[in-house]
């Protein structure tokens, strides 16, 4: 009974002590965050409460559990096993705490940099690099923690010598088996530090345009205009050509084509376009133009050029200009809309006798198809003269 009480006191005291320390650290971080609101580090460090509690609890239990266990009693018989489990918890909690702490520091640094910088393209570049660096740190810490946990097992300790002896062969086999994975991994570093594509960039891949939403070490997610997600391996962007509409700036220029009749008053259309763009909220005011770019026997092609601050606003502006020009022409100049000519050309039957000769030729063609009736083969004789 005394051993059970000692064990309860050990566990309860360790849990209470760990809670008090974590609570004090949380209050200190909250106080520092209130005193220095310009620095988000202290607020981000509050997310480390749970891993800090796990680390403190595991460390205190490893220290108090052997003291609570008496030799020859049940707790002492399992002390080695419990100590091993607590050591594994301590390693895992330490890795968790390290990743959370590094993430808080990196995010705080990025937030302060974003508050000072006004270059959107550079901010997207730094954000992509920070995201990939954090993933690399998380993977590296996880691998080290797993290796440290395996070393605690005696069987793996004795196996280490043979594993080191065959490391060359294992490395070759792993390299061949994971060739595509390794290529994506190196492609992720190339994208992060080569400034090829960044989070928030507008890209066109396989005929689909969208915004880069997520970049990892192995894949990249593009959110299309209709809210679909296209997932591509990062090696796609290092081995194939693609369009990046945000590289060098998000501003874009687009064109709108309208097919019209030859009688279209182009000068009035140009003046109306200028008036409409002055009231269009998505037009950024950098430039515009309207010109006749092509002509054909049935009409002309009018091209309007507009600018916008990004791809989304450019699409909206183009649609608005197209709708406005077509509606304005239909209301004010309906004759300027394209027409399909089905009537005979004017002046075809203005010459004397042309209608008679055309009618005679039609009767001759009908007579050729029906040879039983009389046929008049003299096209120069007047229509009212009887045949010979």
């Amino acid at each position: 009974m005394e051993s059970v009480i000692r064990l309860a006191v050990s566990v309860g005291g360790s849990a209470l002590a760990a809670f008090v320390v974590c609570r004090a650290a949380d209050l200190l971080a909250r106080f520092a965050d209130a005193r220095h609101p310009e620095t988000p580090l202290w607020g981000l460090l509050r997310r480390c409460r749970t891993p800090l509690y796990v680390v403190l609890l595991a460390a205190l239990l490893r220290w108090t559990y052997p003291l609570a266990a008496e030799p020859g009693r049940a707790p002492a018989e399992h002390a080695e096993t419990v100590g091993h489990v607590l050591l594994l918890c301590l390693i895992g909690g330490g890795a968790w705490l390290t990743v959370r702490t590094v993430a808080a520091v990196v995010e705080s640094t990025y937030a302060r940099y974003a508050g000072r910088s006004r270059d959107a393209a550079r901010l997207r570049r730094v954000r992509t690099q920070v995201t990939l660096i954090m993933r690399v740190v998380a993977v590296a810490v996880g691998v080290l923690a797993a290796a440290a946990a395996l070393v605690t097992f005696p069987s793996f300790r004795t196996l280490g010598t043979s594993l080191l002896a065959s490391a060359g062969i294992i490395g070759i086999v792993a390299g061949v088996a994971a060739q595509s994975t390794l290529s994506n991994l190196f492609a992720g570093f190339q994208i992060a530090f080569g400034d090829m594509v960044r989070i928030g960039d507008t890209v066109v891949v396989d005929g689909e345009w969208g915004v880069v939403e997520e970049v990892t070490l192995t894949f990249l997610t593009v959110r299309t205009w209709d809210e679909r997600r296209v997932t591509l391996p990062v090696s796609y962007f290092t081995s194939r050509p693609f369009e990046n509409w945000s590289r060098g700036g998000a501003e874009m220029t687009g064109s709108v084509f309208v097919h019209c009749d030859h009688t279209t008053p182009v000068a009035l259309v140009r003046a109306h376009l200028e008036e409409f763009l002055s009231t269009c909220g998505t037009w950024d005011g950098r430039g515009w133009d309207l010109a006749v770019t092509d002509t054909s026997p049935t009409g002309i092609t009018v091209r309007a050029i507009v600018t916008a601050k990004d791809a989304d606003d450019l699409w909206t502006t183009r649609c608005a200009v197209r709708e406005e020009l077509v509606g304005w022409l239909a209301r004010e100049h309906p004759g300027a809309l394209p027409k399909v000519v089905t009537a005979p050309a004017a002046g075809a039957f203005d010459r004397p006798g042309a209608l008679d000769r055309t009618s005679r030729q039609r009767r001759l063609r009908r007579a050729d198809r029906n040879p039983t009736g009389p046929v008049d083969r003299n096209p120069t004789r007047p229509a009212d003269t009887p045949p010979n």
Side-chain angles (χ1 to χ4, degrees), residues 258-261 264 298-300 334-340:
V258 180
H259 298 279
C260 303
D261 189 71
T264 302
T298 58
I300 60 175
L337 297 177
K339 295 181 281 294
V340 178

Side-chain angles (χ1 to χ4, degrees), residues 256 276-277 280-284 306-308 312-323:
V256 178
F276 171 73
L277 288 177
C280 183
T282 55
W283 180 59
D284 61 356
V306 293
T307 59
D312 292 337
D313 283 357
L314 180 64
W315 174 264
T316 305
T317 305
R318 291 175 59 195
C319 293
V321 168
R322 186 182 297 109
E323 181 179 351

Side-chain angles (χ1 to χ4, degrees), residues 243-266:
E243 296 183 28
N244 189 344
W245 292 356
S246 302
R247 186 172 180 84
E251 297 84 2
M252 297 191 65
T253 301
S255 57
V256 178
F257 292 93
V258 180
H259 298 279
C260 303
D261 189 71
H262 290 95
T263 60
T264 302
V266 179

Side-chain angles (χ1 to χ4, degrees), residues 330-386:
R331 293 191 309 269
E332 304 295 334
H333 303 278
L337 297 177
K339 295 181 281 294
V340 178
V341 180
T342 58
F349 302 104
D350 293 345
R351 297 187 304 274
L355 183 59
D356 294 339
R357 287 195 298 270
T358 302
S359 301
R360 184 180 300 278
Q361 290 173 0
R362 290 177 180 174
R363 289 199 302 269
L364 289 175
R365 285 195 295 268
R366 288 197 298 268
D368 289 339
R369 291 193 297 268
N370 185 18
T372 57
V375 180
D376 185 3
R377 297 296 181 179
N378 185 9
T380 60
R381 182 177 55 81
D384 54 352
T385 304

